[in-house]
Amino acid sequence: MLEYEIVIGLEVHAQLSTKTKLFCGCTTPFGDPPNTHGCPVCLGLPGSLPVLNRAAVEMAVRAGLALGCEINNKSIFARKNYFYPDLTKNYQISQYELPVCGPGKLPIVVDGEEFTIGVTRVHLEEDAGKLIHDLDPDSLFDVNRSGSPLIEIVSEPDMRSPAQAHAYLAALKQILEYLGVCDCNMEEGSLRCDGNISLRPKGQQKFGTKTEIKNMNSFKNLEKALEYEARRQEEVLRSGGTVEQQTYLWNPSENRSIPMRSKEDAHDYRYFPDPDLLPLVVETDWVEGVKKSLPELPGVRRRRFEDKYGISAYAAEVLTGSRALADYFEQCVDKCADAKTASNWVMTDIMRMMNDGKIESPFELKTTPERLGRLIKLINDGGVSAKAAKKVLDMMESEGKEPEAVVKEQGLSQVSDASALEAVVKQVVDAHPDEVQRYRGGDKKLTSFFMGQIMKASKGAANPKEVSAILNRLLG
């Protein structure tokens, strides 16, 4: 790409976590039997009338506020006309000229460099149903998802590499999860992304002809698809050809994009205001109330973790990766008052147990943040060694017991009594006269040998700090 600059914009569809659909009372659970959640409104039967879901509006406004968008006091629902084999009324209710949320922005970081990606709009629309092609000679239609509430978040064409697109989608996903407006389960289709990409000669202001890659449902596939399409367009341009405005699907098994249809422009959809829906009016005071209810967002929380707890930027980024993990960490710190040690335990052992159990939230573990905090406090107070604490943690998780109970039952209490420890240290020193002579001759590396022998003799119960002081005194 020495001669060309990549230009990328993303359209992200997020299914809102409402209890019912956007314009009717049908529920929206994933995985239920086909065609068990439908009604005359979902199906667009004659005489049915849509009624807007207030919770969906609030979630859209929450997302817009978190992205720094202007919230439009008045927005219009429009009919987007197209041949929809998966939408029975053959049009989609969406927003076009007047969306609920106007321009905003989203900062991202790639390889340590910060970029600001513009957000054009956030608008509400209904989802289509689902076509199933592999269970029957004919395609099958499931209405369950039809009419589910979506927000579409449209970026400006501000991204200049697939890596930036990956970072943008990851940052957006994290914000939506923090807000609780979308579960962002890409495997279930709760979060989907369309990528628009074009190439232009470096230094040229005019955009090239863009192509669109539809319905990407993983970060890895999004980045691979954009890389592939950038190379394909470059080959076309270098050979003197012209890039055609088309829509593609990504085939992950073959690692290539497949032409789907010519890409549509807005006029192809024949948008016009939906005659069954009044303009959506949101009052400024109501928007201010929604703004006050927003949680602390990931970027702000990362910076606070660094400043308040004195942890590294890397640790702060990992711990704020999800709202649940950040909450777990803070509750643990409240119990043990040792943020650095708590961050290490959460990032290693707690995340390991989450991975082993294939769970999304640390609060699903038997090891509550309060129990972990008390275990860390036991270590700091000398009640149990750091090594023995690993065993305590595993038993806490497997048996759901309190840390103090496990320490007592397993006899893992750390010995800190000076006289008892001195007897053990003296016994080890007396048993190794050759090593003592070498140590006194300058081989200070033998300290590790003596510490290992002492911990072995005490069955790991000796307080390392106390042992070290006694050992240094006896060895002179």
Side-chain angles (χ1 to χ4, degrees):
M1 293 294 169
L2 297 177
E3 300 176 28
Y4 296 99
E5 180 180 51
I6 299 173
V7 178
I8 297 171
L10 297 185
E11 300 170 9
V12 178
H13 295 82
Q15 183 173 325
L16 299 175
S17 299
T18 57
K19 294 180 180 178
T20 56
K21 296 183 180 182
L22 187 56
F23 297 112
C24 69
C26 292
T27 54
T28 59
F30 178 83
D32 278 7
N35 298 315
T36 53
H37 300 285
C39 71
V41 176
C42 296
L43 297 169
L45 299 183
S48 63
L49 292 173
V51 177
L52 181 59
N53 186 332
R54 180 185 178 92
V57 176
E58 181 172 342
M59 289 181 181
V61 171
R62 284 170 68 84
L65 289 170
L67 295 169
C69 292
E70 299 174 11
I71 307 301
N72 294 319
N73 294 114
K74 180 181 178 180
S75 57
I76 302 292
F77 283 100
R79 290 188 179 182
K80 183 179 180 182
N81 296 274
Y82 188 70
F83 175 68
Y84 288 98
D86 48 7
L87 201 57
T88 54
K89 57 179 176 275
N90 218 31
Y91 64 83
Q92 180 189 38
I93 301 177
S94 182
Q95 292 185 314
Y96 177 51
E97 292 180 323
L98 288 174
V100 66
C101 305
K105 60 184 178 180
L106 178 59
I108 62 170
V109 177
V110 179
D111 295 330
E113 187 176 357
E114 184 167 312
F115 303 88
T116 299
I117 308 302
V119 174
T120 308
R121 56 195 280 139
V122 178
H123 66 257
L124 279 160
E125 63 183 24
E126 62 180 345
D127 203 352
K130 184 178 181 181
L131 290 177
I132 302 166
H133 304 289
D134 57 352
L135 297 180
D136 194 87
D138 299 313
S139 292
L140 303 178
F141 173 62
D142 179 8
V143 74
N144 285 354
R145 195 175 66 186
S146 182
S148 294
L150 301 178
I151 49 172
E152 181 174 347
I153 303 162
V154 182
S155 83
E156 291 290 317
D158 290 344
M159 288 160 264
R160 296 295 176 262
S161 70
Q164 288 185 17
H166 183 138
Y168 170 87
L169 184 59
L172 184 58
K173 176 178 182 286
Q174 188 181 45
I175 287 174
L176 296 176
E177 288 176 329
Y178 262 70
L179 295 171
V181 302
C182 177
D183 64 23
C184 296
N185 189 322
M186 300 183 80
E187 291 182 357
E188 295 181 0
S190 300
L191 190 71
R192 309 190 294 274
C193 179
D194 301 337
N196 293 286
I197 180 170
S198 64
L199 265 59
R200 63 183 176 187
K202 287 188 175 178
Q204 177 179 298
Q205 295 300 309
K206 183 182 177 182
F207 292 131
T209 302
K210 66 182 177 181
T211 58
E212 181 181 40
I213 307 173
K214 292 287 287 185
N215 292 333
M216 305 303 301
N217 63 355
S218 82
F219 294 105
K220 182 179 179 181
N221 283 338
L222 172 67
E223 196 163 357
K224 289 173 69 175
L226 291 172
E227 288 171 353
Y228 176 90
E229 184 59 17
R231 290 194 300 269
R232 189 194 68 80
Q233 289 189 22
E234 182 186 21
E235 290 174 3
V236 170
L237 294 172
R238 284 185 182 279
S239 66
T242 301
V243 175
E244 294 183 19
Q245 185 168 311
Q246 285 184 298
T247 296
Y248 289 83
L249 293 176
W250 176 248
N251 186 324
S253 62
E254 298 180 10
N255 283 322
R256 68 185 185 94
S257 57
I258 301 172
M260 181 183 175
R261 59 175 182 258
S262 61
K263 183 168 172 56
E264 304 84 4
D265 290 314
H267 64 264
D268 293 317
Y269 293 120
R270 294 182 294 111
Y271 284 100
F272 64 87
D274 192 300
D276 292 333
L277 287 163
L278 293 170
L280 170 60
V281 176
V282 294
E283 297 179 351
T284 302
D285 290 345
W286 182 78
V287 173
E288 287 300 314
V290 174
K291 183 183 292 187
K292 290 177 182 177
S293 73
L294 294 181
E296 185 180 34
L297 295 174
V300 176
R301 203 168 198 181
R302 278 196 297 272
R303 290 188 289 273
R304 180 172 66 81
F305 276 19
E306 291 180 55
D307 296 339
K308 181 177 179 179
Y309 298 121
I311 60 177
S312 67
Y314 170 77
E317 183 175 358
V318 172
L319 292 168
T320 57
S322 74
R323 185 176 176 182
L325 191 66
D327 289 345
Y328 186 99
F329 165 72
E330 292 215 87
Q331 290 179 29
C332 179
V333 174
D334 287 344
K335 201 69 183 177
C336 69
D338 185 349
K340 290 188 177 180
T341 301
S343 69
N344 290 333
W345 279 79
V346 172
M347 289 193 297
T348 54
D349 296 272
I350 296 302
M351 293 184 71
R352 168 182 59 80
M353 291 192 293
M354 290 172 61
N355 288 332
D356 290 345
K358 296 181 180 179
I359 58 176
E360 295 292 327
S361 170
F363 289 101
E364 297 177 47
L365 297 170
K366 294 178 183 176
T367 303
T368 64
E370 293 78 10
R371 285 176 175 170
L372 179 61
R374 295 212 309 275
L375 179 59
I376 293 170
K377 200 167 187 306
L378 277 173
I379 299 170
N380 292 343
D381 292 344
V384 67
S385 69
K387 183 178 180 180
K390 299 287 185 179
K391 182 178 180 181
V392 174
L393 179 68
D394 288 339
M395 295 192 70
M396 285 165 53
E397 183 58 29
S398 62
E399 300 181 17
K401 293 182 177 179
E402 304 297 331
E404 298 85 355
V406 176
V407 170
K408 185 177 180 180
E409 290 172 8
Q410 298 298 315
L412 295 173
S413 295
Q414 186 166 254
V415 178
S416 298
D417 179 76
S419 59
L421 288 176
E422 184 155 355
V424 175
V425 176
K426 190 174 187 307
Q427 181 184 6
V428 170
V429 170
D430 291 345
H432 298 86
D434 292 343
E435 284 78 8
V436 171
Q437 187 174 357
R438 286 166 52 199
Y439 176 88
R440 289 173 176 165
D443 191 356
K444 303 302 182 183
K445 293 180 180 178
L446 284 167
T447 300
S448 298
F449 166 78
F450 284 112
M451 288 295 294
Q453 293 298 312
I454 294 163
M455 296 308 291
K456 183 178 179 181
S458 67
K459 297 181 180 178
N463 185 320
K465 186 177 180 181
E466 298 292 337
V467 167
S468 181
I470 296 170
L471 183 62
N472 288 335
R473 177 164 52 80
L474 292 181
L475 290 177

